[in-house]
Amino acid sequence: MYRNLSEFIARLEREGELVRIGAAVSPAYEIAEITDRMCKSPDGGKALLFENTGTGFPVLTNMMGSPRRMAAALGAESLEAVGARIRALLDDARAPKDSLRERLRLLPLLAEAGRWLPRAGTRRGACQQVVLRGDEASLGRLPVLRCWPCDGGPFVTLPMVHTVDPETGVRNVGMYRMQVFDDRTTGMHWHIHKTGARHFDAYRRLGRRMPVAVALGGDPVYAYAATAPMPDDMDEYLLAGFLRRRPVRLVRCLTNGMYVPADCDFVIEGYVDPAEEPAEEGPFGDHTGFYSLQDLYPRFHVTAITHRRDAVWPATLVGVPPMEDARIAEATERIFLEPIRAAVLPEAEDLWMPASGVAHNLAVVAMRRRYAGQAHKAAQALWGAGQMMFNKYLLLAPAGCDVRDTECLAALVRRADPVRMLIRGEGVADVLDHATATPGFGGKAALDLTSVDPAGPEPVLPSPAAFVQAGGIVAMRAEYLTRWGVAALFAPRGGRVDVGDCLRRNGLERVPYAVLFDAEARSLPDGSDLLWLAAANSDPRRDLQLVGGTLLIDARSKRPGVEGHPSRFPNVVCSHPETIRKVDSRWTEYGLGEMLPSPSERYRGLLLSEEAAW
């Protein structure tokens, strides 16, 4: 694997996967706009190394933004190879051991596992070549990105936040965004469901200040491990050691006794005081494609900053999908499918989380079905399993279906009977799910397709020659009717609609599905954008209903506080026109070849206001 982040950068450059940008660029908005264009180019474009940021430190973005770079970050030729290695390991561990000889064969496996455990050293690491304390330990020295125009401030977007359970001593490494409030304090965005928040609660009960260390850079596998859905009390550096085939060497921080990887680029040492009043954090243009709005979170206080002499600041940009985080989610699909089979759902064959579903909104599972009701059992099991508890919409496909083959999925979906095959539930929702009126809790829906034959008789689906405006609905896009059995309907924002009347007037009563969007969304050219809106803007508990035999999803923007809607409804994330013009005018200076248009231009019509929320 890689001895440091610079070694990974060198490999990307050798393989034509990286572009160096020598022109002076600003960490405020400009880097983000350039990165957004690159992320949404075919196959995720290139990694970008901004060498002149005005801070003395280069910035690396989009480093894991393609399948090839994601696999390289994990030290593999492909993500499939990583999954195969996990599967072989678990197969060896689970195989029946009927004889002493077979049991002894496990010893090398146990010895290998022992070599993955992190190792703490006594000497300083490369991450401590430069030490800043007191007034020198200023976050203003660092090229922290300000990404979107309504963000509450600059945000550290790729931090590996180290905390320790004060009662068990078990370490957690999580990725929690950090808004910079001033030179010495940030927010600590611990969602209530996350391990960092649980550790914080434990320190609060004990009445003790909580030490925290934030690492950035180093072997890129560390950043992946910090995002991985590990069991609550399992060290993320055990996974990193397995993936890199050698242990992570740790060094002790200088001001708080925490341990961090010796080869990382930056360490921000500090503490969180549970007795202190929380601070207002946000808004932040998030990976959902919408702003997550202001809320109260703990303050992190900086006591020291250390870094390598040749340190590179890694950052990621999140926003309307697809972005770099979609590639990270693909790695998680491959790595954690086998553990999900072993612990939760042995009938599972494959798992896919489409980029449009921003990881938690939509998932597709292929499963072996042996008895009636098994799909219900599978849905409930997944909705109670680790980070799968955040899933909102779930498709359960039959064994043998390639869940990434949209032709196979379309054949199943258009042949389904949603009245009979719909599974509804309620449960934990992601805190970032803006559609639910009860933060952290919302509706769930699954479609049981396990008994559908994708090669069975084709359903007779209507195809109206001309759309008739009715029931307050002003337009329809018919291109999804014959392939998916979906009528995409469009109505003015906030107006009353009668979908049943519209379907009857257009002869669409036999259409299995209808999705209702704001009229402004009809200009979106890509069906994946509509899928993203449909999943993000709806709560199955409130916005899913049967209209005759048609399953309707109301994916319009919700007027805040009306008819059970959330009290605040956020805006889609878009760059400011001034930033777009600046990047357009400087494009040749960046050396990125043919001009890439700003993705924000296609989403500007969705804006509800010029603020972060309606």
Side-chain angles (χ1 to χ4, degrees):
M1 289 294 283
Y2 310 99
R3 290 175 293 181
N4 49 56
L5 184 57
S6 294
E7 196 171 278
F8 179 62
I9 291 170
R11 174 180 174 179
L12 295 183
E13 191 164 27
R14 287 194 307 271
E15 297 180 0
E17 288 283 337
L18 178 130
V19 177
R20 291 178 179 266
I21 298 175
V25 292
S26 172
Y29 307 124
E30 188 176 8
I31 288 178
E33 171 63 14
I34 298 167
T35 301
D36 190 29
R37 298 184 190 204
M38 186 60 68
C39 285
K40 290 187 175 63
S41 61
D43 296 323
K46 307 290 186 183
L48 300 173
L49 185 65
F50 300 91
E51 298 179 304
N52 187 355
T53 65
T55 65
F57 299 108
V59 170
L60 177 67
T61 65
N62 202 30
M63 69 172 176
M64 294 182 283
S66 73
R68 185 178 179 186
R69 291 197 299 280
M70 186 70 244
L74 301 181
E77 291 302 313
S78 67
L79 295 180
E80 288 75 13
V82 180
R85 189 169 164 232
I86 293 273
R87 186 164 55 252
L89 174 70
L90 291 178
D91 285 348
D92 282 347
R94 291 182 304 199
K97 308 295 185 293
D98 296 328
S99 68
L100 177 60
R101 182 175 180 178
E102 288 171 328
R103 294 188 182 100
L104 290 174
R105 285 174 56 193
L106 276 179
L107 293 179
L109 181 65
L110 296 174
E112 183 183 359
R115 290 195 292 271
W116 307 331
L117 295 171
R119 310 282 172 84
T122 56
R123 297 180 180 179
R124 284 194 180 184
C127 63
Q128 297 165 326
Q129 290 171 341
V130 178
V131 178
L132 304 173
R133 300 179 192 247
D135 291 342
E136 286 192 315
S138 169
L139 296 167
R141 293 173 174 263
L142 306 176
V144 185
L145 299 192
R146 191 161 188 153
C147 301
W148 303 107
C150 295
D151 282 357
F155 281 84
V156 182
T157 58
L158 210 59
M160 298 172 285
V161 179
H162 296 64
T163 62
V164 171
D165 188 322
E167 296 164 342
T168 66
V170 174
R171 173 176 42 243
N172 174 254
V173 186
M175 192 159 288
Y176 313 110
R177 76 185 192 219
M178 300 165 62
Q179 180 181 340
V180 175
F181 295 146
D182 54 44
D183 285 348
R184 301 298 295 276
T185 60
T186 78
M188 189 57 76
H189 194 253
W190 281 322
H191 290 180
I192 191 170
H193 306 112
K194 304 296 186 179
T195 306
R198 183 174 63 78
H199 290 179
F200 175 76
D201 288 341
Y203 277 95
R204 182 165 49 192
R205 289 194 303 271
L206 294 171
R208 289 165 47 191
R209 181 182 283 182
M210 178 180 184
V212 180
V214 180
L216 294 103
D219 190 328
V221 78
Y222 305 155
Y224 171 73
T227 72
M230 295 286 284
D232 198 21
D233 288 323
M234 185 173 288
D235 193 336
E236 283 75 13
Y237 289 135
L238 177 62
L239 173 63
F242 167 78
L243 292 171
R244 73 202 302 256
R245 292 182 170 86
R246 68 167 183 257
V248 179
R249 191 170 80 83
L250 304 173
V251 294
R252 194 175 190 272
C253 289
L254 304 180
T255 62
N256 65 9
M258 300 291 290
Y259 282 82
V260 294
D263 60 345
C264 58
D265 285 61
F266 294 87
V267 180
I268 307 172
E269 303 181 14
Y271 66 88
V272 171
D273 187 350
E276 187 178 23
E277 288 296 317
E280 185 177 88
E281 189 262 11
F284 175 69
D286 226 314
H287 78 279
T288 60
F290 293 80
Y291 284 99
S292 53
L293 302 178
Q294 299 99 316
D295 211 338
L296 298 176
Y297 285 94
R299 297 176 188 266
F300 170 69
H301 297 268
V302 177
T303 55
I305 296 175
T306 70
H307 63 82
R308 304 174 67 97
R309 294 190 189 94
D310 59 348
V312 175
W313 181 265
T316 191
L317 180 72
V318 291
V320 177
M323 301 293 266
E324 182 179 13
D325 60 301
R327 306 305 181 185
I328 296 173
E330 287 177 8
T332 296
E333 291 167 9
R334 304 300 202 283
I335 292 172
F336 285 90
L337 174 61
E338 203 61 35
I340 286 173
R341 283 176 178 157
V344 178
L345 201 66
E347 56 265 60
E349 272 194 349
D350 204 354
L351 165 68
W352 180 42
M353 295 180 289
S356 299
V358 297
H360 52 76
N361 283 345
L362 178 63
V364 186
V365 174
M367 58 169 284
R368 296 178 296 276
R369 176 182 180 270
R370 295 191 301 106
Y371 51 84
Q374 192 169 0
H376 290 252
K377 172 258 188 188
Q380 298 298 337
L382 289 170
W383 288 335
Q387 292 190 30
M388 281 298 294
M389 69 180 174
F390 300 131
N391 171 254
K392 188 191 298 190
Y393 290 103
L394 180 64
L395 295 180
L396 296 160
C401 173
D402 180 352
V403 295
R404 292 166 186 80
D405 180 354
T406 55
E407 290 301 323
C408 179
L409 286 180
L412 292 168
V413 168
R414 69 175 178 263
R415 288 173 169 82
D417 176 0
V419 176
R420 183 172 57 86
M421 297 176 178
L422 179 65
I423 302 169
R424 306 190 71 151
E426 291 182 326
V428 174
D430 194 294
V431 171
L432 302 179
D433 182 1
H434 62 266
T436 175
T438 49
F441 182 78
K444 298 179 181 295
L447 202 58
D448 175 11
L449 306 174
T450 57
S451 61
V452 178
D453 180 2
E458 280 286 355
V460 179
L461 296 172
S463 182
F467 177 74
V468 177
Q469 293 189 10
I473 295 168
V474 298
M476 179 182 76
R477 284 175 57 176
E479 62 261 42
Y480 310 112
L481 274 173
T482 55
R483 187 180 183 207
W484 292 94
V486 176
L489 307 174
F490 301 87
R493 196 173 277 152
R496 295 278 182 178
V497 295
D498 184 340
V499 174
D501 180 52
C502 179
L503 295 178
R504 285 191 298 273
R505 295 277 297 275
N506 285 277
L508 297 172
E509 300 97 321
R510 294 197 310 275
V511 169
Y513 317 94
V515 186
L516 185 60
F517 298 97
D518 292 336
E520 292 78 2
R522 64 182 144 177
S523 62
L524 293 175
D526 195 331
S528 63
D529 286 330
L530 293 177
L531 179 60
W532 157 64
L533 280 179
N537 266 356
S538 62
D539 178 356
R541 181 175 50 177
R542 180 194 61 234
D543 299 322
L544 202 66
Q545 58 181 292
L546 289 167
V547 179
T550 300
L551 181 64
L552 171 67
I553 299 175
D554 185 348
R556 292 176 296 169
S557 303
K558 305 301 187 290
R559 191 173 293 279
V562 176
E563 298 177 346
H565 297 166
S567 60
R568 302 179 295 174
F569 203 83
N571 250 322
V572 169
V573 174
C574 288
S575 287
H576 193 277
E578 183 179 334
T579 302
I580 296 171
R581 288 193 295 269
K582 177 181 180 180
V583 171
D584 283 348
S585 67
R586 299 195 62 199
W587 191 260
T588 56
E589 297 178 54
Y590 304 140
L592 292 170
E594 185 178 350
M595 168 83 75
L596 297 173
S598 175
S600 291
E601 297 289 14
R602 68 193 288 181
Y603 304 114
R604 186 160 304 283
L606 301 178
L607 292 177
L608 307 167
S609 69
E610 292 303 315
E611 307 298 327
W614 195 357

